Amino acid sequence: MAATLLSLDNDVFRAFATYATVVVVKTMLMSGITAVTRFKNKAFINPEDAASMKDKDGKPLKPFTHQDVERVRRCHLNDLENVIPFVLIGLLYVTTNPSLSTALLHFRIFAAARILHTFAYLIPLPQPSRAMLFMAGLLATLSMAYNVFSKGLL
């Protein structure tokens, strides 16, 4: 039964695979945004990276960090802290054979919350916008976890 649940023939698994891919790719894109922000601000923390770059006078840069780079890095870390549990718990959730509409609600809330959280973090929008988006994604994942626990208990 689990083998058929974890198949693209299962609409719930197909939806999960789609939304999981969206949030994983979004998380991966954060590395690129970090790199662009580093180059834009000439902020390189590793000595070998800084030494390979020149300042406006042609001298090698000294290693330092920049608040904009750190903001992007914190956003990326927040993604890692949330997307990995979503993917793992979501996979277990699919094996509980939830209804497609309920599963889609969980997957869509999480994906939308993570994408909007990134905008709220990087723009930045005033709080509590970022906190509310974080909580929406967390609650979607915790709801799936509750479903796994409730179906798994004998």
Side-chain angles (χ1 to χ4, degrees), residues 30-132:
M30 294 305 298
S31 296
I33 295 170
T34 302
V36 167
T37 307
R38 278 194 188 287
F39 279 97
K40 175 182 163 197
N41 294 291
K42 294 189 176 190
F44 302 94
I45 195 68
N46 296 318
E48 66 276 13
D49 298 337
S52 70
M53 303 299 292
K54 307 288 186 224
D55 67 13
K56 62 184 174 187
D57 298 324
K59 297 178 184 172
L61 292 176
K62 290 190 171 39
F64 79 100
T65 189
H66 189 278
Q67 67 182 6
D68 292 345
V69 174
E70 291 307 308
R71 177 171 287 278
V72 175
R73 290 183 70 236
R74 287 190 305 272
C75 184
H76 190 189
L77 180 60
N78 194 279
D79 270 349
L80 293 170
E81 293 168 348
N82 288 275
V83 170
I84 292 170
F86 168 78
V87 170
L88 296 174
I89 290 170
L91 193 58
L92 296 171
Y93 175 69
V94 169
T95 67
T96 67
N97 201 18
S99 72
L100 178 59
S101 61
T102 302
L104 281 171
L105 182 65
H106 284 94
F107 305 157
R108 287 174 177 166
I109 286 172
F110 183 85
R114 291 314 308 167
I115 291 166
L116 293 172
H117 179 271
T118 298
F119 285 109
Y121 215 132
L122 298 183
I123 288 175
L125 296 179
Q127 285 286 35
S129 58
R130 192 177 78 235
M132 290 172 45

